[in-house]
Amino acid sequence: LLKMAVTRKCLPSVLLMLNATIPNELRWRSPKTRGLAESPRPSLSLCLAIVGMILESANEATRYFLNLRDEDSCLPYWFSIDDQTRLALSILSIHGKFVVLQEPEVRSWALEKLKDEVHSSVDFNNVQYDLPSEWLKEIVTGAFCNAGCDIGLGFDSSVLRKSEAFESTRDEYNSCYRQDMLRIENLLNPQKNSGGLDYDLLIAALLILVQRDEKWRDGTSIPTQILLNAVCDKAGRKTGIDQKFIFDGATTMRLCALSENYQATAFLMGGKNGIILECADIIISNLGLSMNEAELLLFAGSVNEMKDFVTRIYRKVQIEKYQFAEFFPSESQQHLLWLLEQYSMNVRKYGEFNAAINSMRVNPVFAGRVCFRAWICLTQPSNKESSAKWLEKWLRNKLGLNNGVSSKRLACAALVRILLWADEASGLELTDGDEEPLLAVLLGLNGRFMAELAHACCGMIESIPFHLADEIMSGLGGSNLFFFEYELLNA
């Protein structure tokens, strides 16, 4: 019947006939009762089989089918069925695509169910789930399949499985989840003319699965939190693909914050605030602090306030007497090293020091201060000397610094601003006292190393806070940047 309808271009008429003939089978509901006898509900498998045949018949069949109205209630199809039927039909796969999920009324219903589930999951007294985990997994898979992503085709089975040779090396980033995110980045690229990823559905479903500590797909090697981070990092970026649905970033951000998933919120936020939140998550998970306390340590409070706070923290912590002969950074410190190299030591352009023109760009000086502050918070006082030696060696290696010479002069300038100048946010003046300690001192870095670092970027105005540049140049008798650099280089 359906083949004939498609061939003769009368599919809407045939669907109307089926709607009038088998309305209960199409909606998985019991027929009207007559007298006291109760009619049995049709089989769900029968309902899915019939609907599946209809949707497979033609590309436009999904829209025709959802436009059908119930003869009794006069409601459109989707509003004439119960939630159990909707759950089953919304994840119906037709030729590898979840076509029902792409329709506006179905997507709106799914989003509302996901939002309600996030709100209810926050209530610790609510131990029952309204949405099955299997349905959530299908929503995630459906979003990937509809966008034509490789991850939806099962190419993730071994992407994060490390070889024995790789695991045996002590790479400083072995434990950084940012590296795992980079490994799956290409698997999330949607195909052209696919309508792109439905980030609203995808992020909401992944948030709930993370809360339940569930895998997003059975047998996958990609942790759900890593996938959620990667999706949030990709959300809202320009991909050159026309999005079928506009991403509601504000609502999704609220869901992430409500779930207290700081990693997802950080990547969704991006930019300066994202770096703060990412480091705050590290502080909170390691020291058990509140968000307000973490923000105070990272950027809101002065260096003196941070120093006093850290001292109070480690007074309460029982430090083991046994010390390792060789210092090696913890997993959280490895993550900070990745951020430090990414945002402060890979500076290649002068304009990167002025990130105010674009909120999504991260100022290398600001990012470095936040990372070094977090490093100080995670370093026990008894390990300060050994950690400082390890950090100095790592910085020398990354900068290629030897006898005060480095090819990465912009990176050296950024580090000088970070380590050898007081916090620029407080409006430092040249006549200020030295009451505010420098980060280099708190880190315990060697004076010779800092002198070499300063020499490597000698003559670069970027090594001095912007609000002091005019005062310094006027003191040298110069009127412009070129005169300033010439004077220093020939001093």
Side-chain angles (χ1 to χ4, degrees):
L1 176 65
L2 291 171
K3 288 181 179 180
M4 180 193 68
V6 172
T7 302
R8 301 195 177 187
K9 299 181 181 180
C10 59
L11 184 60
S13 300
V14 169
L15 293 181
L16 288 174
M17 182 187 70
L18 291 174
N19 187 48
T21 307
I22 52 173
N24 299 316
E25 286 76 5
L26 288 177
R27 292 170 175 81
W28 192 40
R29 68 185 181 191
S30 301
K32 288 185 177 181
T33 58
R34 296 182 179 180
L36 299 177
E38 293 185 0
S39 301
R41 192 177 191 179
S43 168
L44 176 60
S45 59
L46 175 62
C47 172
L48 295 177
I50 296 174
V51 174
M53 283 190 292
I54 293 173
L55 302 185
E56 286 177 349
S57 61
N59 293 332
E60 63 273 15
T62 305
R63 190 66 261 164
Y64 289 152
F65 179 70
L66 292 177
N67 286 339
L68 296 176
R69 289 186 174 271
D70 183 29
E71 292 184 353
D72 295 330
S73 63
C74 295
L75 293 173
Y77 178 84
W78 190 254
F79 301 97
S80 65
I81 58 179
D82 59 21
D83 273 353
Q84 290 298 320
T85 311
R86 291 171 181 168
L87 286 173
L89 292 179
S90 60
I91 56 176
L92 197 60
S93 178
I94 306 297
H95 303 306
K97 300 290 184 181
F98 290 55
V99 293
V100 181
L101 199 59
Q102 292 180 306
E103 298 301 323
E105 62 266 45
V106 180
R107 181 178 180 270
S108 297
W109 168 83
L111 282 174
E112 286 302 317
K113 297 296 289 185
L114 290 168
K115 292 175 187 176
D116 292 342
E117 186 70 17
V118 171
H119 283 82
S120 63
S121 62
V122 176
D123 183 6
F124 294 102
N125 296 323
N126 183 16
V127 295
Q128 294 183 345
Y129 299 141
D130 293 331
L131 297 178
S133 295
E134 293 303 319
W135 184 79
L136 295 171
K137 295 176 183 179
E138 290 296 320
I139 290 293
V140 173
T141 301
F144 288 134
C145 290
N146 287 342
C149 300
D150 289 343
I151 197 171
L153 303 176
F155 292 162
D156 61 299
S157 58
S158 61
V159 67
L160 291 185
R161 291 174 185 168
K162 303 173 183 178
S163 64
E164 294 181 1
F166 180 78
E167 289 179 344
S168 63
T169 61
R170 295 190 78 188
D171 181 25
E172 61 264 27
Y173 301 140
N174 274 354
S175 300
C176 179
Y177 61 74
R178 280 271 200 159
Q179 290 295 96
D180 292 337
M181 291 170 54
L182 290 175
R183 292 188 186 102
I184 67 172
E185 183 178 14
N186 292 333
L187 297 178
L188 303 180
N189 293 331
Q191 292 182 356
K192 293 183 179 179
N193 303 321
S194 65
L197 277 169
D198 193 336
Y199 291 108
D200 299 276
L201 284 176
L202 190 54
I203 294 174
L206 287 171
L207 275 173
I208 301 170
L209 289 173
V210 169
Q211 285 183 322
R212 297 181 184 181
D213 197 22
E214 294 265 7
K215 289 186 176 182
W216 67 274
R217 182 162 63 191
D218 295 335
T220 183
S221 61
I222 302 175
T224 308
Q225 182 67 61
I226 298 297
L227 180 61
L228 175 60
N229 292 349
V231 171
C232 288
D233 190 43
K234 202 175 187 66
R237 294 188 178 186
K238 294 182 179 180
T239 59
I241 296 177
D242 294 332
Q243 293 289 129
K244 185 173 184 178
F245 298 104
I246 298 176
F247 175 49
D248 187 359
T251 300
T252 306
M253 186 82 72
R254 286 195 294 270
L255 292 179
C256 292
L258 188 63
S259 303
E260 295 186 350
N261 196 314
Y262 298 130
Q263 290 183 24
T265 310
F267 290 112
L268 195 61
M269 189 176 296
K272 171 182 174 181
N273 293 329
I275 290 294
I276 294 173
L277 201 53
E278 189 173 350
C279 291
D281 174 65
I282 295 174
I283 296 295
I284 292 170
S285 60
N286 281 270
L287 302 178
L289 304 179
S290 66
M291 177 56 71
N292 289 335
E293 291 172 328
E295 290 179 346
L296 177 70
L297 290 172
L298 293 176
F299 79 101
S302 65
V303 176
N304 273 323
E305 288 176 319
M306 178 199 68
K307 178 183 176 182
D308 295 339
F309 199 106
V310 172
T311 302
R312 292 196 300 269
I313 290 174
Y314 284 105
R315 280 177 185 169
K316 302 176 183 179
V317 178
Q318 184 177 2
I319 302 175
E320 297 180 2
K321 295 181 180 180
Y322 176 77
Q323 298 295 325
F324 293 99
E326 179 186 359
F327 172 83
F328 192 77
S330 65
E331 179 179 338
S332 297
Q333 288 173 318
Q334 292 171 35
H335 191 94
L336 295 175
L337 294 175
W338 191 96
L339 293 175
L340 186 63
E341 182 175 5
Q342 178 70 20
Y343 293 105
S344 299
M345 301 179 68
N346 281 335
V347 185
R348 294 182 174 86
K349 298 179 180 178
Y350 293 95
E352 294 181 47
F353 285 87
N354 184 19
I357 58 175
N358 187 344
S359 60
M360 291 307 295
R361 292 171 57 190
V362 181
N363 186 297
V365 178
F366 179 86
R369 286 189 175 278
V370 172
C371 291
F372 278 123
R373 278 187 171 216
W375 179 280
I376 293 170
C377 294
L378 298 181
T379 304
Q380 291 188 358
S382 59
N383 287 334
K384 180 179 178 180
E385 183 178 353
S386 58
S387 67
K389 291 180 180 179
W390 190 97
L391 183 60
E392 178 184 330
K393 182 180 179 181
W394 182 85
L395 289 172
R396 282 185 179 275
N397 180 51
K398 293 298 178 181
L399 294 171
L401 181 63
N402 186 20
N403 293 326
V405 178
S406 171
S407 59
K408 298 183 177 181
R409 300 188 71 219
L410 282 175
C412 291
L415 288 176
V416 166
R417 287 262 297 276
I418 296 165
L419 298 171
L420 293 181
W421 287 93
D423 197 343
E424 301 169 22
S426 59
L428 175 71
E429 301 293 340
L430 288 178
T431 57
D432 286 351
D434 56 352
E435 296 181 358
E436 187 82 355
L438 303 177
L439 288 180
V441 176
L442 294 182
L443 289 165
L445 295 175
N446 183 273
R448 177 178 174 82
F449 166 72
M450 297 312 304
E452 290 187 40
L453 187 65
H455 186 273
C457 59
C458 182
M460 299 188 70
I461 194 67
E462 287 75 18
S463 64
I464 299 172
F466 287 146
H467 63 283
L468 297 179
D470 292 338
E471 187 173 348
I472 293 175
M473 285 190 291
S474 62
L476 292 173
S479 58
N480 55 55
L481 169 64
F482 301 103
F483 182 85
F484 169 73
E485 294 189 355
Y486 175 82
E487 286 292 319
L488 283 183
L489 288 173
N490 290 276

